[in-house]
Amino acid sequence: MAKILVTGAAGFIGSHTTDFLLAEGQTVVGVDNLRTGHRENLTAALRSPRFALHPLDVAAPGALAALVAAERPDAIIHLAALVSVQESIANPALNFSLNLQATHLVAEAARASGVGRVVFASSAAIYGDGVAQPVREAAEKRPVSPYGAAKLASEDLLLGHGACYGFTVRCQRYFNVYGPRQDPASPYSGVISIFARRYREGKPVAIYGDGRQTRDFVAVRDVARANALAATRPGLISGAVNICTGRATSLRELAEIFSTHNPGVAAPTYAPARPGDILHSLGDPASAGAELGFKATTAVAKGLAELISETAVPLLS
Ligand code: UD1
C-alpha cells in the first residue's frame, strides 16, 4: 500500500479521492487551506487512522515543501485550486497564484523530496473553443480564460520538471465533474450543483445563452477512481489524458432531467451567455482507457437521479 499526499483534500474532488484511496487501504496525507474546501467533507475520512488533515496553504512558499519532506509520500495528487473559470476572469491574479504559482511549489516539493509521481488536476478548459469534438489529447490548445491558460501552463511546468528531475507526471484533464459535496454556494459554482439546489428549493434555474451549449458531465466517484489509478497504477509513464465519459449533454437536456424529477418547478429563464464560456466540450475517453485502465461507468441520468434523491429534503410526516 502507498502513502499519497492529496492537496485540496477537503474540496469536492479531493474529499472523494481521499475516501476512495482510504477504502483501497492507502494512507492519505490531506492538505487544505479551507478557502473553498469544508472539513465536513472529510467527516468519514477523519475517523480513519490512515488519514490526517494539514491545514496549510499550498501557495504559501515553503509550507508544502516542509510537509512533503517530513511525510515522504509515494505520490502527490495536486487538486488544490481556484476551480471556477468565471472566478479566474473576475480575479486573474488569484488564479495565477493558486493555479500556476502553487503548481510550481508542488513541482519543487516533489523534486526536493524525491517523490516518484505527481498527479495534476488539469481541465478540459485548456482546449478552448472550436476544437473538433470529441476532443482528443493531441488537439491544439487555445484556452479562452485565465483558468484554462494556467491549467495548460501548469501541465507543461510539471511535465518539464518531471522529465528533468526524474518523476512521473500524470495530468488529468477533467471535463465537467458533478456529484455530492459540490458546493452550490457561489454564482461560480458548477452548474449541476446550482441546478440541484434551485430545483430542490422549487425555484427556476437560469440558463446562460441559448442552452444548446454542451458539456461532458462526469461523476465525481468515477473521477476519484481515475485519480487513484493515476497515483498508484504500477509502471505508468508521464502523460495527459481526458477524464470524461464521451457523452454530451446540453444545458436544456440537463434542465429537462431536473424538471422530470421536480415537476411543478417553473421553466428555466434565459440570460446572456457568459464571457469566456466554451460552447461545446466533449471528450474522447480512449487514452484514459489505454493508459490508466479507466472508464467512467456512471451515466449522467443515473448520476443525477442519485444526486437528486440524496439531497432531497425529507418530507415531514
Ligand atoms: C467547468 C468547471 C471547471 C472545469 C471545466 C472543464 C466548475 C465550477 N467549473 O467549467 O473547473 O475545469 O468545467 O471543462 O465546475 N450555466 C448556466 N446556468 C448556471 C450556471 C452555469 O447556464 O446557473 C452554464 C454555463 O454558462 C456553462 C455551463 O453551464 O455554459 C457549465 O458551466 P459551469 O458549471 O460553470 O462549468 P464550466 O465553465 O464548463
Side-chain angles (χ1 to χ4, degrees):
M1 286 294 134
K3 185 196 261 192
I4 318 282
L5 188 146
V6 178
T7 75
F12 166 49
I13 298 176
S15 63
H16 285 277
T17 301
T18 296
D19 287 347
F20 191 93
L21 290 166
L22 291 172
E24 276 188 327
Q26 321 284 3
T27 296
V28 179
V29 180
V31 170
D32 206 298
N33 67 353
L34 303 176
R35 183 183 88 94
T36 51
H38 301 286
R39 186 174 277 273
E40 305 80 73
N41 288 343
L42 294 168
T43 302
L46 284 162
R47 286 198 284 265
S48 168
R50 284 179 284 106
F51 178 72
L53 179 63
H54 298 263
L56 66 82
D57 187 350
V58 179
L64 184 72
L67 182 67
V68 172
E71 293 285 351
R72 303 259 155 195
D74 300 290
I76 297 174
I77 304 182
H78 177 42
L79 306 174
L82 178 153
V83 301
S84 162
V85 173
Q86 295 304 314
E87 191 178 6
S88 83
I89 294 168
N91 197 342
L94 190 63
N95 171 70
F96 179 75
S97 162
L98 301 188
N99 285 347
L100 184 54
Q101 243 166 353
T103 308
H104 171 68
L105 297 176
V106 171
E108 275 295 88
R111 176 181 72 82
S113 294
V115 177
R117 201 180 283 188
V118 176
V119 178
F120 172 60
S122 186
S123 166
I126 68 170
Y127 295 116
D129 240 335
V131 193
Q133 310 274 322
V135 62
R136 302 188 61 185
E137 286 80 357
E140 198 181 332
K141 319 291 183 297
R142 280 177 298 208
V144 292
S145 63
Y147 175 89
K151 289 291 184 185
L152 181 56
S154 286
E155 280 199 2
D156 286 343
L157 192 149
L158 282 168
L159 287 163
H161 245 68
C164 184
Y165 301 116
F167 57 87
T168 303
V169 174
R170 295 299 316 177
C171 301
Q172 310 269 80
R173 296 178 182 163
Y174 306 138
F175 281 62
N176 287 65
V177 187
Y178 71 95
R181 303 181 198 153
Q182 191 171 25
D183 189 353
S186 113
Y188 302 138
S189 298
V191 64
I192 288 183
S193 68
I194 294 175
F195 278 19
R197 173 139 107 185
R198 298 282 298 178
Y199 274 99
R200 194 169 66 241
E201 293 172 353
K203 296 176 185 156
V205 297
I207 291 180
Y208 303 125
D210 64 5
R212 295 187 203 284
Q213 71 265 45
T214 57
R215 292 292 186 272
D216 184 328
F217 291 105
V218 58
V220 69
R221 63 165 169 236
D222 286 330
V223 172
R225 182 163 47 86
N227 288 342
L229 282 166
T232 61
R233 196 174 207 226
L236 290 183
I237 57 167
S238 292
V241 293
N242 294 335
I243 303 298
C244 62
T245 67
R247 307 265 163 173
T249 306
S250 73
L251 267 283
R252 283 175 186 242
E253 287 171 302
L254 194 62
E256 260 169 49
I257 298 174
F258 274 101
S259 26
T260 314
H261 288 274
N262 301 273
V265 177
T269 58
Y270 285 83
R274 286 172 158 182
D277 212 18
I278 292 169
L279 201 50
H280 296 294
S281 178
L282 172 66
D284 183 334
S287 297
E291 293 183 30
L292 301 180
F294 169 73
K295 188 177 187 308
T297 54
T298 312
V300 75
K302 182 165 171 279
L304 283 184
E306 285 176 13
L307 181 68
I308 291 164
S309 66
E310 274 171 38
T311 53
V313 181
L315 289 173
L316 295 173
S317 55

